[in-house]
Amino acid sequence: MAALDAAGEFETIARLLRPLAHPDYARNLADDVAVLPFRAGYDLVLTKDAIVEGVHFLPDDPLETVAQKLLRVNLSDLAAKGAEPFGYLLACHWSPRCGWPEREAFAAGLKADQGSFGIHLLGGDTVATPGPASFSITMLGWVPKGRAVSRAGARPGDLVFVTGTIGDGWLGLQAARGLLTLEPERIAALVAHYRTPMPRVVFAGTVRDLATASVDVSDGLVADLGHVAAASGVGIEIDLERIPVSAAGQAWLDGRVDLEAALEQLCTGGDDYEIALTVRPSDEAALRREADRRHLRVSQIGRVAAGQGVTARLAGRPIEIRKNGWTHD
Amino acid sequence: MAALDAAGEFETIARLLRPLAHPDYARNLADDVAVLPFRAGYDLVLTKDAIVEGVHFLPDDPLETVAQKLLRVNLSDLAAKGAEPFGYLLACHWSPRCGWPEREAFAAGLKADQGSFGIHLLGGDTVATPGPASFSITMLGWVPKGRAVSRAGARPGDLVFVTGTIGDGWLGLQAARGLLTLEPERIAALVAHYRTPMPRVVFAGTVRDLATASVDVSDGLVADLGHVAAASGVGIEIDLERIPVSAAGQAWLDGRVDLEAALEQLCTGGDDYEIALTVRPSDEAALRREADRRHLRVSQIGRVAAGQGVTARLAGRPIEIRKNGWTHD
């Protein structure tokens, strides 16, 4: 199919992507396909997320972190299902802005995260578009046979936990757009969180062993818990004062007049890439122990009840959540 | 991640895509992931191709055929490797042009081809872009363990075959652009070939059993045979007068003054989605028999020799091929 491009498909593949290829399965990116042997006792878990310039990343985000974010949003989906990642297929829709230095930066971002997360490139496609640039990844992982965690297993009485902190993704987007007034190091921390969120890959095994249901927090905490509530046929109650926030998030909250509206914003902003999970009360101690061993914060933010949907309380008082998280279409 | 869209991600998934989901592996498109049990005795084959409006399809191509072409270019890659397709993940980057009727048409195209090729949707993502629209698919198939055909197995003395006819993809693009003067039924046949090429899925088993090397013809016959020659460390000689052309292609050729230049154009135009393969001379009869059983045309167009690269002859005289097929970046 026809479109010449200054930086060149073959050159991009040969010089930038081939060094990232899986040594066994990618056929050196020279055969249009990856060929993957069966792994006895495991299921294959696949997820696919796409990102678009101006929609999911900002036009002046460095392509190195764009590549990392692309990998990480997909890794986050696997972690929430208890799967261990091993490789990915990549489609790059390069815009005219993506010259050779930008592609080098993109490949450097991929390379850095391949090392961090133990994954390799399996194949893909690279095409030109008049713009905006966009990218998609199909990420593959393994999970012991029949053990992938679903959204459907939450039961009344279960406790609701979340890893890390909530709201930094949304605050980071505001910071990257120059819309926040905070100390420079707070701004830098939030922008870094927005550009390179940390998927909870190290917690996947614990989620698999202990969660009755789980989801990664990408659309927004309330919306994603809403998915769990709907799939499980239960209600989920959260206490807004228990929502874990970062130091930068707390600094931002301290400057708000309307605490309720501010907390609601953090719970619906999305782009967190934490894991929200439900566990039986008898597993709480094990969950906290496994989190401590990994120096990972986990916070109980609510409980599962009979009913439907997500209800929020602040100091025991019911709060109406007006926004249900972003629709990221 | 943030972008509201008139037609809505959730609505698109619930009403248009969920009915297409694989009954066992796709988790009803409600869990961000597909979970796939492995199949004993088989390898998994994966390929990923992307298409962009204005680059790989025309802005006035119906979205029904855009969806079919997207599936088919990926199915063609699997067929050339001897793999049997079973499912795919889909990323839709909808532009503002893609309202509800266009999405319905796109889903109708997917549905029709799912029936034709025995495949199901496994998962994916749907995002908004200011435009142009683009789409990518990761297609999955099975091949008996260790039996995926590579590009690297061609040996001197092997014969070079191609399925179907060559040149209709390029001619179809010219026809769709209104650049060809031919009878209306010829124009219609060529446009149909451009919009909905026929991947040779029915021939995958034969390719697996008989081909020493194979490739699908997407970049252009000469370029794709060049990939086989390079990977196999051999030379490939083709006879331009043996290149199979359709009735419409012959009608176009009959109107050319420079036959050599015209044949060269057909051999480098790309977008054919036929399979080019090399076989041992002792397997020629079996190949022709299997093709006949499937009412599929196969043509011997050349042979493998010591050396490197692709050389072409017309009536025994060497021809210099100036273009090496499109770079589809």
Side-chain angles (χ1 to χ4, degrees):
Chain A
M1 291 192 270
L4 290 167
D5 169 54
E9 172 175 25
F10 294 117
E11 191 100 30
T12 300
I13 294 172
R15 291 178 53 190
L16 298 181
L17 298 179
R18 189 157 291 148
L20 304 177
H22 193 288
D24 299 319
Y25 307 148
R27 296 190 160 205
N28 211 20
L29 305 186
D31 203 11
D32 286 334
V33 296
V35 180
L36 193 66
F38 169 84
R39 186 175 175 191
Y42 285 79
D43 291 331
L44 183 69
V45 182
L46 302 110
T47 188
K48 177 162 180 147
D49 270 335
I51 61 175
V52 178
E53 183 178 62
V55 181
H56 307 91
F57 62 94
L58 298 173
D60 57 354
D61 283 343
L63 278 179
E64 183 164 357
T65 63
V66 170
Q68 292 178 290
K69 183 160 189 172
L70 175 64
L71 288 171
R72 292 171 181 210
V73 301
N74 282 280
L75 288 166
S76 178
D77 280 321
L78 288 196
K81 304 290 103 182
E84 161 200 337
F86 75 88
Y88 63 99
L89 294 96
L90 169 70
C92 298
H93 307 213
W94 304 111
S95 72
R97 134 184 194 203
C98 302
W100 191 256
E102 288 75 19
R103 294 179 191 212
E104 284 184 317
F106 190 88
L110 296 178
K111 183 180 180 183
D113 271 9
Q114 288 197 179
S116 302
F117 298 105
I119 55 177
H120 284 93
L121 179 62
L122 291 168
D125 197 11
T126 155
V127 296
T129 173
S134 64
F135 304 93
S136 74
I137 270 183
T138 299
M139 182 70 70
L140 282 70
W142 299 114
V143 69
K145 191 166 179 56
R147 300 284 310 283
V149 182
S150 85
R151 295 176 173 180
R155 294 291 168 264
D158 287 353
L159 305 178
V160 180
F161 284 84
V162 69
T163 60
T165 58
I166 293 296
D168 298 287
W170 179 81
L171 286 170
L173 173 60
Q174 311 311 311
R177 284 174 170 160
L179 302 176
L180 289 194
T181 312
L182 286 173
E183 291 166 34
E185 64 267 34
R186 304 282 193 218
I187 294 290
L190 290 170
V191 171
H193 190 285
Y194 171 70
R195 288 182 175 163
T196 50
M198 180 51 68
R200 300 307 183 181
V201 174
V202 297
F203 211 49
T206 304
V207 171
R208 191 170 66 231
D209 290 340
L210 300 178
T212 55
S214 65
V215 67
D216 89 310
V217 184
S218 53
D219 294 345
L221 180 65
V222 171
D224 290 310
L225 286 176
H227 301 322
V228 171
S232 299
V234 297
I236 289 180
E237 302 167 352
I238 60 173
D239 303 316
L240 290 184
E241 64 271 27
R242 293 189 181 195
I243 300 300
V245 293
S246 67
Q250 190 58 54
W252 178 79
L253 273 180
D254 290 342
R256 299 306 97 192
V257 176
D258 185 342
L259 178 64
E260 180 182 318
L263 284 170
E264 182 184 328
Q265 183 63 66
L266 298 186
C267 291
T268 55
D271 237 1
D272 293 300
Y273 306 106
E274 299 293 349
I275 299 177
L277 65 160
T278 56
V279 300
R280 285 180 290 265
S282 57
D283 285 329
E284 177 177 359
L287 182 79
R288 293 190 182 278
R289 188 173 59 239
E290 293 302 318
D292 283 348
R293 284 177 52 184
R294 291 166 182 81
H295 308 289
L296 178 64
R297 181 172 177 176
V298 294
S299 308
Q300 195 213 326
I301 58 169
R303 66 211 72 78
V304 180
Q308 60 181 15
V310 177
T311 53
R313 291 169 201 274
L314 184 56
R317 188 169 52 82
I319 299 291
E320 186 192 357
I321 302 272
R322 285 169 295 268
K323 296 197 318 183
N324 197 30
W326 292 106
T327 303
H328 59 89
D329 191 354
Chain B
M1 292 193 269
L4 288 167
D5 169 54
E9 173 175 23
F10 294 117
E11 191 101 30
T12 300
I13 293 173
R15 291 180 52 192
L16 299 180
L17 299 179
R18 190 158 289 149
L20 305 177
H22 193 289
D24 300 319
Y25 307 148
R27 295 189 161 207
N28 211 20
L29 304 185
D31 203 11
D32 286 335
V33 297
V35 180
L36 189 68
F38 246 107
R39 186 174 169 190
Y42 285 79
D43 290 332
L44 183 69
V45 182
L46 303 109
T47 188
K48 177 163 179 148
D49 270 335
I51 61 175
V52 177
E53 184 179 61
V55 181
H56 306 90
F57 62 94
L58 299 173
D60 57 355
D61 283 343
L63 278 178
E64 182 163 358
T65 64
V66 169
Q68 292 177 290
K69 183 160 188 172
L70 176 64
L71 287 171
R72 291 172 182 211
V73 303
N74 282 280
L75 288 166
S76 179
D77 280 322
L78 288 196
K81 305 290 102 182
E84 161 200 338
F86 74 88
Y88 63 99
L89 294 97
L90 168 71
C92 298
H93 307 212
W94 305 110
S95 71
R97 137 185 191 197
C98 303
W100 191 255
E102 288 74 19
R103 295 179 190 212
E104 285 184 316
F106 189 88
L110 295 177
K111 184 180 181 185
D113 271 10
Q114 288 197 179
S116 302
F117 298 105
I119 55 177
H120 285 93
L121 180 62
L122 291 168
D125 198 10
T126 154
V127 297
T129 173
S134 63
F135 305 93
S136 74
I137 270 183
T138 300
M139 182 72 69
L140 283 70
W142 299 115
V143 69
K145 191 169 178 55
R147 300 284 309 284
V149 183
S150 86
R151 294 175 174 181
R155 293 293 169 262
D158 286 354
L159 305 179
V160 180
F161 283 85
V162 69
T163 60
T165 58
I166 293 297
D168 298 287
W170 179 81
L171 286 170
L173 174 59
Q174 310 312 310
R177 284 175 170 159
L179 301 176
L180 290 194
T181 312
L182 285 174
E183 292 165 33
E185 64 268 34
R186 305 283 193 216
I187 294 291
L190 290 169
V191 171
H193 190 286
Y194 171 71
R195 288 181 174 164
T196 50
M198 180 51 66
R200 300 307 182 180
V201 174
V202 296
F203 212 49
T206 303
V207 170
R208 190 171 68 230
D209 289 340
L210 300 178
T212 56
S214 65
V215 66
D216 89 310
V217 184
S218 54
D219 294 345
L221 181 65
V222 171
D224 291 310
L225 286 176
H227 300 324
V228 171
S232 299
V234 297
I236 288 179
E237 302 166 353
I238 59 172
D239 303 315
L240 290 186
E241 64 271 26
R242 293 190 180 193
I243 301 299
V245 293
S246 66
Q250 189 59 52
W252 179 78
L253 272 181
D254 290 343
R256 299 305 99 193
V257 176
D258 186 342
L259 178 65
E260 180 183 320
L263 284 170
E264 182 184 327
Q265 183 62 66
L266 299 186
C267 290
T268 55
D271 237 0
D272 294 299
Y273 306 107
E274 300 292 348
I275 300 177
L277 65 159
T278 56
V279 300
R280 284 180 290 266
S282 57
D283 285 329
E284 177 177 358
L287 182 80
R288 292 191 182 278
R289 188 173 58 238
E290 293 302 318
D292 283 348
R293 284 176 53 183
R294 290 166 181 80
H295 308 289
L296 177 64
R297 182 172 177 176
V298 295
S299 307
Q300 193 212 327
I301 57 169
R303 66 210 73 78
V304 181
Q308 61 181 12
V310 177
T311 54
R313 291 169 201 272
L314 183 58
R317 190 169 50 84
I319 299 291
E320 185 193 357
I321 303 272
R322 285 168 294 266
K323 297 196 318 183
N324 198 32
W326 292 106
T327 303
H328 60 90
D329 192 353

